[in-house]
Amino acid sequence: MKDFEIEKLQLEKVEEFISNTINSLQEKNKESEDKIMKLKEYLNHMMKIAPDEIIKIYEQVSENFSLVEQRLRKIKKFEQVKKSPYFGKIVIKEYEDIEDLYIGLFDISDMESGRQYVLDWRAPICSLYYHSMLGKTTYKANEEIFDIELLKKRQLTIKNGELEYYCDTDNKINDEVLQEILSHNTSAYMANIIRTIQAEQDEIIRQPLFKTIIVDGVAGSGKTSIGMHRIAYLLYENRNTLTNENILILSPNELFSQYVSQLLPELGEDNVKTIPFSLFLSEKFPNLRNAESKSEMMENILFEKPERHINVEQKHTEEYANKLMDFLGEFNLEKCIGTIKIRNKKIIVPNLKKNYNLTYQNRYKIFKRIEFITDEIIDQVFYGNSLNESDGDLRKEIKEIILKKIYKFKLFNTFISLNGLSDTLIKNNIAYDDIATYAFIEMSINGFPVDNNIKQLFIDEVQDYSPISIKMIKEIFPSATLTIVGDYNQNLITTNKNLNYLKEQFPISSSFKLNNSYRSSNNIMRLANSVINANLQTTLTREGDLPKAIEYQNELDLQNIINTQMQNFDKHQKTAIICKTKHEAEQLSNLLPDFTPAIDEKITNPFFENNKIITTVFLSKGLEFDNVFVYNVTNENFNTDTDKQILYVMITRALHNVTLLYQNQLCSLVDSTKLSFIK
């Protein structure tokens, strides 16, 4: 019998088992539901029931409800995979035994017979599929190394319950499968990549929980997918000690939070709390709730006040962070408090005997000094050893007086003024680039809101985080290891890199560099390379069409050009017109009513509900589209080093087609030899 027929028979067996299992679970649920109804009827109709019997009945109802919910979860998983239960197969030889192992989204096994039909892709032995070559090799499970011989690695494509084709490979995931997947249209939400995880991606995903992972990867290298799949892997690998409540995702914005929201449930895990860092801070500090948003700051820099960019860059340096640490560390708290009166006792704080000394590393923790001074006042003035239970009230009283004294000094305003950064207030609210400074000063005074429940923290777009933010995160989540991903070519705020600072702050970490893109075609990546003078690679053989450049004369001409180009695209494809600023996007949306504006980071519906949108470069970060129009690509609009990074982000959002739109003359940052000019 030929291999194809053998594989078809195997698929039929698995599909039959799945169908039988679903039917069996549904029948058992029907029995449990009938039992629940009978128990409820019994309670309703019996006039006199002993209390202990009522308790037993409620326990039975609760137990049956629990069983129904468990079975429904299993049914949902089986329904999810029944049309494509697996995607890979390995044949291994261990000792003298040869075994065929199929790999899929979830474990599929018969508990009664002990037969394993499909392995969960996260199982240790499945790592062989992703990054082992044929021949003698090893895999690790339960801290033990197993020697085996990998005889075969097979990739299978199953659609709607039918085996379409398979291919055998000796090393990496075959380009044929990767090409087939990437040739499809993109989806509104981030999809799983378990069929095409590459060896370098799998290595990162399977790193142990105790390690902090730092990933610097080019656009389309799968950084975010790696982070999300790593969460799913860690939940599987550490299922006895780690739950979704022990994990937090810090996302770039609310739109991005929605974009990744379907992935973990698709991988069989409960969703994890996902929140932008600025929103996380505003939940802690009410004064930040009306602070400038990140998109508003970008708009201000790119359209209204480009000179502000200098201050923003400065606040993203390690030097600025060190200045803040020194400022807080050198703050003379004793002198600030001066003389205070508590319970009819006049206390000259600078005259108290000093019995503490903070380490240099903790010099910025004013709240520690407040605690020490409070202790000194109690011990030296109120003879602490003889105090009774009113000690707590006295301590609170002292701290309140000290805090009032500190807040009169307005440390935040003072620090900003000392550094000559006068644009810190935007319309009387705190500027986005000062949110981290404000929050850090508040925490240094009142104490960091430590959360030891978080064991794994995922940070995306880390290139946009200032050293102050990184330091603050480390203080708030001391029990967490981190998965940190970013692309320093996509830093729209500053050209500074915080990579070395990250490594200093997390010395027990492993760093990974991803240079291969799996999103855009080769021709699109060549254009992106030309903009940032880089040599970013793609392992794909998908050349794709040359990116286009089209000149328009006026608004009517622009409207006609876009409508004409749209006729070349599949109506099911997702197309975005990406603008540099919100101002441009608003103007363009008036001109093109068929396109839905998605220009507010808090309003997510337009992006997820429409295939034709107009958005900004800031909101497009981390997202992908089938086709991209880059608007107003002129020298007037793009002429700085940051503009290079902005263009790079815009271009690399596209899977299949990029069209640059310009008036009069194309921007010189773009290499015209990488373009097809359309007239």
Side-chain angles (χ1 to χ4, degrees), residues 340-495:
I340 57 176
K341 190 173 182 180
I342 303 173
R343 297 188 180 180
N344 297 319
K345 290 183 182 288
K346 186 178 180 182
I347 304 163
I348 304 173
V349 172
N351 290 347
L352 293 172
K353 183 180 178 182
K354 187 174 179 180
N355 294 317
Y356 71 90
N357 188 28
L358 279 177
T359 62
Y360 182 78
Q361 289 79 6
N362 289 318
R363 66 196 187 282
Y364 56 85
K365 295 181 178 177
I366 294 174
F367 70 92
K368 287 281 188 186
R369 282 186 272 160
I370 293 173
E371 290 175 5
F372 288 136
I373 290 171
T374 302
D375 288 339
E376 288 175 348
I377 292 172
I378 290 173
D379 289 341
Q380 297 178 41
V381 179
F382 291 92
Y383 310 105
N385 291 335
S386 62
L387 284 175
N388 53 30
E389 63 274 3
S390 66
D391 180 14
D393 292 336
L394 176 61
R395 185 176 296 277
K396 183 180 177 182
E397 201 176 320
I398 295 168
K399 284 186 176 180
E400 285 177 354
I401 292 171
I402 291 174
L403 286 172
K404 283 180 182 178
K405 291 267 188 175
I406 292 172
Y407 278 110
K408 285 182 181 178
F409 273 70
K410 297 184 178 179
L411 292 182
F412 171 68
N413 289 6
T414 302
F415 176 72
I416 296 296
S417 298
L418 285 173
N419 285 276
L421 306 174
S422 58
D423 64 349
T424 192
L425 295 180
I426 306 297
K427 297 177 182 176
N428 297 319
N429 291 325
I430 294 173
Y432 178 83
D433 45 306
D434 285 323
I435 287 175
T437 303
Y438 176 88
F440 195 93
I441 290 174
E442 284 292 313
M443 291 179 192
S444 76
I445 295 170
N446 294 288
F448 291 85
V450 173
D451 188 345
N452 282 309
N453 184 54
I454 299 299
K455 307 299 181 187
Q456 170 67 194
L457 183 68
F458 175 35
I459 302 178
D460 207 339
E461 302 284 355
V462 73
Q463 72 277 356
D464 289 344
Y465 282 69
S466 68
I468 292 173
S469 297
I470 298 299
K471 183 76 173 173
M472 189 159 32
I473 287 168
K474 188 179 177 184
E475 291 284 357
I476 297 171
F477 304 105
S479 299
T481 52
L482 290 79
T483 300
I484 305 170
V485 306
D487 177 7
Y488 288 91
N489 291 314
Q490 294 188 57
N491 193 337
L492 305 187
I493 297 175
T494 171
T495 55

